[in-house]
Amino acid sequence: MKRIIFISIILITNLALGQFNTAFKPAKVFLKSGDTINGIVKVGTKIKFKTHQDSKKITKYTPDDIYGFDLLVKRKIIKYRYRYLKEKDKSILLSHVIHGKVNLFIDEIRLNDAYNRRIDLSYKFYVGRDNDSLATYMSTNLGSFKGRKPVMEYFKDCTSLYAKIESGLFKISEMDEIVEYYNENCNSE
């Protein structure tokens, strides 16, 4: 059942991402100043914010200005947060799909053919400890080129989960199940 919920979150996220560049969407924006503002956003290289559809004033935000935003899509709230990636030395906008002691974030990868038609869709999975702005790359929904070692290293503080990953009981492409297991069963053993 949890797998079905996770897959539906990914599909809704895909719908939201696909609509980012076409129109402003209702959102709650979380500023680094501590303020929260409601309005509508459009995502590009910067987050464009307006208080309402008819407003002429557009405010542009960067990762230096905001933590992220909650987007309303088809009566569902999709959370987007900026997380710092050490390997890229910058913050990127990720969909926040599981919240807990360890958070799971996804980044959509779209592959297009020569005619700009989408031919493949996959996701990069990132994890981050609660209240930490750093995200660590783990795998894709297709698996990982780095193998199990980075995932096992990240979750080494939970011996039962470590053993399940090492034995292959949890596949690297099942990051949602790994993160949920950690959040429900691991208390820094």
Side-chain angles (χ1 to χ4, degrees):
M1 178 67 173
K2 288 181 181 180
R3 193 80 173 154
I4 292 170
I5 292 170
F6 180 73
I7 290 169
S8 59
I9 288 171
I10 287 180
L11 291 174
I12 291 170
T13 299
N14 184 30
L15 175 66
L17 288 171
Q19 295 177 355
F20 265 159
N21 295 325
T22 59
F24 282 87
K25 298 290 177 194
K28 182 184 290 187
V29 179
F30 304 99
L31 302 173
K32 288 193 174 176
S33 68
D35 294 332
T36 300
I37 53 175
N38 293 305
I40 54 177
V41 297
K42 184 175 180 181
V43 177
T45 54
K46 294 182 180 181
I47 307 299
K48 295 178 181 177
F49 174 83
K50 297 194 311 184
T51 54
H52 54 83
Q53 195 66 40
D54 298 328
S55 176
K56 300 287 184 210
K57 181 182 178 196
I58 296 176
T59 306
K60 295 178 182 177
Y61 292 110
T62 68
D64 295 331
D65 306 316
I66 66 172
Y67 290 113
F69 56 90
D70 292 349
L71 189 68
L72 182 62
V73 177
K74 295 198 176 212
R75 295 184 295 187
K76 299 274 186 196
I77 295 174
I78 311 296
K79 297 175 183 240
Y80 292 93
R81 300 295 183 263
Y82 281 106
R83 287 295 181 257
Y84 180 76
L85 304 181
K86 234 187 250 187
E87 63 272 7
K88 292 188 177 188
D89 192 30
K90 69 177 185 176
S91 293
I92 66 168
L93 190 63
L94 300 170
S95 177
H96 189 180
V97 294
I98 296 177
H99 182 81
K101 293 178 277 188
V102 169
N103 298 292
L104 179 64
F105 302 94
I106 61 172
D107 185 19
E108 183 181 282
I109 305 164
R110 294 176 187 234
L111 301 174
N112 296 331
D113 65 11
Y115 301 104
N116 206 28
R117 294 178 297 201
R118 188 165 69 195
I119 56 173
D120 195 10
L121 180 65
S122 65
Y123 297 90
K124 288 183 180 179
F125 294 114
Y126 295 87
V127 293
R129 303 285 174 173
D130 201 23
N131 298 322
D132 187 2
S133 63
L134 182 67
T136 304
Y137 170 75
M138 289 288 122
S139 68
T140 70
N141 59 320
L142 305 174
S144 173
F145 297 112
K146 296 181 180 181
R148 288 183 274 194
K149 189 175 180 181
V151 178
M152 291 169 58
E153 178 66 26
Y154 192 87
F155 293 103
K156 69 183 177 187
D157 63 325
C158 181
T159 55
S160 61
L161 178 57
Y162 186 92
K164 290 177 186 294
I165 296 168
E166 187 175 45
S167 70
L169 191 59
F170 280 127
K171 296 186 179 3
I172 302 306
S173 60
E174 300 170 334
M175 284 306 300
D176 58 323
E177 293 180 19
I178 292 171
V179 170
E180 286 193 1
Y181 181 91
Y182 184 92
N183 287 337
E184 293 171 5
N185 300 291
C186 302
N187 291 318
S188 297
E189 299 174 353

